Amino acid sequence: MNAVTGLVLRVLLFISLYAFLAVALWLFWKSLTGTRLRGGTIAIPTLTLATTIDEEQVIQTFTSSDVVVGRNPDCDLILVDETVSGRHGRLTYNLNQWWYEDLKSTNGSWLDDLKIEEPIVVKDNDSIYCGDAVFKVYIKPLK
């Protein structure tokens, strides 16, 4: 191999390396900024939460992908109970499933008889206990 061929091969290698790095940085930037690479939106199944407050049934329906449960007035589902923390837990739609996560609450969260210590998948008709308060989860499947 002569010197000219070696030089051409080195230049092509550097060009391909920089092209690869440029594409990788562009994809990384798009993932950080949240810009979609393809058009369209993700369909989220409707989430309905039902609880009883002062002997009155409260039913709320949500279409967002993030629902915060707690005693604070800025929570999406407000549970009026002394055993419920200000921001007790969060329901999040991720990987085509609804997940419940305890937000380091004082009295903990339970899914039926299972103590929730890390994010857990919830399904239709599950009951979640936040301290002494309880709410039922209803998920309307996508068509």
Side-chain angles (χ1 to χ4, degrees), residues 46-100:
T46 303
L47 178 71
T48 301
L49 304 177
T51 188
T52 303
I53 298 174
D54 296 329
E55 298 180 17
E56 180 181 332
Q57 188 167 19
V58 176
I59 299 173
Q60 288 182 272
T61 302
F62 302 96
T63 56
S64 64
S65 63
D66 192 53
V67 177
V68 178
V69 177
R71 199 174 62 223
N72 283 349
D74 62 339
C75 290
D76 299 308
L77 177 66
I78 301 169
L79 299 173
V80 183
D81 190 293
E82 293 290 323
T83 61
V84 176
S85 296
R87 290 176 45 89
H88 199 96
R90 175 178 35 231
L91 287 149
T92 307
Y93 188 71
N94 190 17
L95 302 173
N96 295 325
Q97 299 179 52
W98 279 102
W99 296 74
Y100 179 82

Side-chain angles (χ1 to χ4, degrees), residues 76-136:
D76 299 308
L77 177 66
I78 301 169
L79 299 173
V80 183
D81 190 293
E82 293 290 323
T83 61
V84 176
S85 296
R87 290 176 45 89
H88 199 96
R90 175 178 35 231
L91 287 149
T92 307
Y93 188 71
N94 190 17
L95 302 173
N96 295 325
Q97 299 179 52
W98 279 102
W99 296 74
Y100 179 82
E101 168 187 16
D102 185 82
L103 299 176
K104 296 182 176 42
S105 62
T106 304
N107 293 316
S109 298
W110 301 78
L111 177 62
D112 296 322
D113 294 332
L114 178 67
K115 182 169 174 62
I116 300 173
E117 295 177 352
E118 58 187 42
I120 188 169
V121 175
V122 293
K123 61 186 187 319
D124 191 41
N125 278 334
D126 275 345
S127 295
I128 297 178
Y129 297 84
C130 299
D132 291 336
V134 62
F135 64 91
K136 193 107 171 153

Side-chain angles (χ1 to χ4, degrees), residues 36 40-44 93 96:
R36 299 221 180 265
T41 58
I42 298 172
I44 299 172
Y93 188 71
N96 295 325

